[in-house]
Structures are given as C-alpha cells and as structure tokens.
Amino acid sequence: MIPNLLRDAVTVNRLREFAFGNADFEALRTLVKQLTGINLSDQKRELVYGRLARRVRALQLKSFAEYRDVLANDGGKEIAELCNAITTNLTAFFREPHHFEYLREHVLLPIAADPARSRRLRIWSAGCSTGEEAYSLAMTILECLPDRRRWDIRILATDLDSDVLERARRGSYVADRVRGLHPERIARFFTQRQERKELHYQVLPELAALITFKQLNLMHPLPMKGPLDIILCRNVVIYFDKETQRNLFARVAQLQRPGDLLFLGHSESLFKVSEDYALIGRTVHRRI
Ligand SMILES: C[S@@+](CC[C@H](N)C(=O)[O-])C[C@H]1O[C@@H](n2cnc3c(N)ncnc32)[C@H](O)[C@@H]1O
C-alpha cells in the first residue's frame, strides 16, 4: 500500500516527461536566487518545471538531475540559458502610462520651456525586457523636444536576459505588440514590412539612436557613473525579497542626486526598503 503523499508524487512524476523531485526544485531555486535575485516561492514549482523542461529537452537529457549536473559542470554556459528561461518578460509600449505623462508634464515640457535649464538628461530603464519601455521613453522625448539636436539625451536600457535584449535591439514588433499604440505614434515612429505573411513594425533609427541596450545583472555591481536624472525600475523587484531590494536600491540611490526621479511598477514600493527617496506621486519617487 503506497501512502497518499507518495502516491501523489509518483502520479505527478508519471504525468511529467522528466523526473522532477523536491531536491531538484530546491537546488534550482537556490541557484536562481543566487544568480538573479529572483525568489521562487513554492507556488512556482510548476512554472519552473514548465520553463526548464524545454532546456532539458533541448539538451537531450533524461532528467532534472542530469540538468543540474550540466549547470554545475559546463563552465557556466547553461547558466545564461537558465536565467533567460526563468525571467518573466511581460511588458508593453506605454505600460503604466502615468509615468510617461509625468515625464512629459513635469520634466520634458518644463525643460523645453526654460532656456536656463540643463540640456543634459540621462535615463536608465533597468529591466527593459524586449525594449518597449525604452522606446516609449524615446517617443515621449521626441514628442516633447522636437529640436532633438539641441539636447544631450541618452537612454540606457539594461536587462539580464540576453534573448530579450537581442529582440529589443532589433526593434521589430508584430502587429499585436503595437495594437495599443496611438495610430499617430505608429505612423510617426515605425515603418511597416511584411515578413513571412506577418506585418512587422520597425522602430525608426531616430528612436533607436537615443537608446543603448546593454546586458546587466542587477545583482552585480552597477558599472554606470551617474548621475542619472530618471530611473525606471518597473516590475522587476516584485520578484526579489526585501533584503535583495534593500541592497539594490542602496546602490541605485548612489547613482542619483537629490531631486532625481525613480519610477517603480504598480505593485512595488520602497516601504521598509529605502529611505533615500520620497514618494511624490503614483509610484514616482524623488531622491532626497
Ligand atoms: C516583467 S519585466 C518588466 C519590463 C518593463 N520594465 C516593464 O515594466 O514593462 C522584468 C524584467 O526584469 C528582468 N530581470 C529580472 N531579474 C533581473 C536581474 N537580476 N537583473 C537584470 N534584469 C533582471 C527580466 O529579465 C525581465 O525582462
């Protein structure tokens, strides 16, 4: 007679293509936390299986135990694939549009109207995923500062995931991805082309020229010098525990001067995380 719990585990594993025991999940979640800061709760067990079973299959392995061997012994090659597979990359053009409105009303239009203001602006999109956030920033800038050449503006857009960065650099999006964009913006900032029966929207070089995409793991030292006028770190730290968030924002704060801005995602906050910022609007923070 098999006890209930054991029977359930046997049944689940039988339904699965690859054996995936508790030791596999625990070892992988420890590794993911160390590498990326991403905290995988018990509820993420099936998600981890689903995302990594693809890697086990691609490497023609028979089990997660074999996969863990590869991770430990291939000189770090599979680590990058593990990170790419485990990150959640959901994003959209003008996601959480109030940040772009804030930028327009409180930063770009005022500097455009005041000849005495600095003409230099440095913006960082931290955890940029496939680039929509950075291109939305670039569109907002070009809309507010038509005479672009009079300004020294750079957007740095970074992510840990090399796959999404490659797509971000390409700047080509299928129709579904641009559906929410105002038709005027599509007409002004994209060209269309047909590719394998699908319509693709390519960002104009004028937009791309404002942005530098770079791979950067937020768990590693931050190599930029600063100061950074505006940082968007949206829907990234939601996957980190408080300690990891505290450590990250202590380093982020070093890159900003009093008055500089930090935008977080809709369900993120600096409560019990950082005292270097004051909340001044909906998920808008000002460096103190
Ligand atoms: C859900 S997306 C958010 C994209 C965009 N900021 C937005 O709000 O639409 C989160 C991104 O954070 C990235 N990320 C997760 N952990 C990271 C880390 N340790 N370092 C750098 N990027 C990371 C993921 O690869 C993913 O592309």
Side-chain angles (χ1 to χ4, degrees):
M1 195 65 182
I2 308 177
N4 268 356
L5 255 178
L6 186 58
R7 196 179 49 222
D8 288 349
V10 171
T11 315
V12 167
N13 266 330
R14 221 178 268 146
L15 294 175
R16 285 181 172 143
E17 186 181 353
F18 306 108
F20 181 62
N22 207 32
D24 296 316
F25 178 64
E26 289 303 333
L28 288 166
R29 88 156 141 193
T30 304
L31 184 61
V32 166
K33 172 85 192 298
Q34 270 168 12
L35 292 168
T36 68
I38 295 171
N39 201 24
L40 296 164
S41 63
D42 283 335
Q43 289 71 38
K44 295 282 162 68
R45 201 174 281 259
E46 287 311 309
L47 176 136
V48 169
Y49 177 84
R51 290 186 178 181
L52 297 184
R54 271 182 271 145
R55 293 304 307 153
V56 178
R57 205 173 300 124
L59 295 168
Q60 302 185 329
L61 304 173
K62 293 197 177 60
S63 67
F64 272 79
E66 282 186 19
Y67 184 59
R68 284 163 53 200
D69 276 348
V70 171
L71 283 167
N73 299 310
D74 78 344
K77 266 192 352 225
E78 184 57 24
I79 292 276
E81 298 292 346
L82 169 76
C83 293
N84 289 358
I86 221 71
T87 51
T88 296
N89 308 116
L90 184 78
T91 189
F93 286 107
F94 291 93
R95 181 183 192 187
E96 299 176 38
H98 58 98
H99 286 153
F100 300 95
E101 281 152 27
Y102 189 96
L103 195 61
R104 180 189 146 83
E105 296 302 321
H106 298 278
V107 180
L108 297 171
L109 293 181
I111 63 171
D114 183 354
R117 294 277 285 268
S118 164
R119 304 199 159 268
R120 184 181 185 279
L121 207 53
R122 293 291 178 267
I123 306 179
W124 177 26
S125 160
C128 64
S129 188
T130 38
E132 287 89 333
E133 182 172 281
Y135 290 120
S136 305
L137 286 168
M139 286 185 239
T140 309
I141 289 167
L142 292 181
E143 285 166 356
C144 295
L145 309 175
D147 194 0
R148 228 301 273 142
R149 275 157 305 179
R150 292 176 53 225
W151 301 88
D152 172 16
I153 300 184
R154 301 284 327 143
I155 300 167
L156 172 67
T158 65
D159 205 284
L160 157 77
D161 182 331
S162 56
D163 287 341
V164 292
L165 275 177
E166 197 185 310
R167 287 161 58 193
R169 284 194 190 101
R170 221 180 296 140
S172 174
Y173 298 90
V174 291
D176 212 30
R177 304 296 303 163
V178 300
R179 187 152 298 140
L181 274 175
H182 197 284
E184 248 177 53
R185 281 190 168 134
I186 298 185
R188 176 165 173 200
F189 295 115
F190 293 81
T191 53
Q192 294 179 22
R193 67 165 197 285
Q194 200 75 27
E195 209 178 277
R196 278 183 253 117
K197 292 199 181 148
E198 208 166 4
L199 201 52
H200 284 250
Y201 292 78
Q202 176 68 50
V203 299
L204 287 188
E206 189 191 1
L207 273 193
L210 282 169
I211 309 169
T212 305
F213 288 104
K214 278 222 160 79
Q215 189 171 28
L216 175 64
N217 185 343
L218 296 171
M219 294 303 100
H220 295 172
L222 304 175
M224 49 285 233
K225 280 202 192 75
L228 296 166
D229 303 273
I230 300 156
I231 298 177
L232 286 82
C233 187
R234 308 188 312 159
N235 308 300
V236 179
V237 302
I238 188 179
Y239 305 104
F240 299 170
D241 61 22
K242 287 275 177 206
E243 192 46 45
T244 309
Q245 294 184 22
R246 271 193 281 274
N247 178 294
L248 173 64
F249 286 112
R251 291 177 293 125
V252 164
Q254 300 300 311
L255 298 171
Q256 296 199 291
R257 299 155 300 188
D260 290 339
L261 298 172
L262 170 65
F263 297 161
L264 299 184
H266 58 96
S267 58
E268 297 164 330
S269 95
L270 293 180
F271 180 63
K272 293 196 174 165
V273 167
S274 171
E275 291 183 354
D276 292 323
Y277 294 88
L279 183 66
I280 56 164
R282 201 165 136 206
T283 53
V284 177
H285 301 78
R286 187 195 285 124
R287 180 79 167 91
I288 296 167

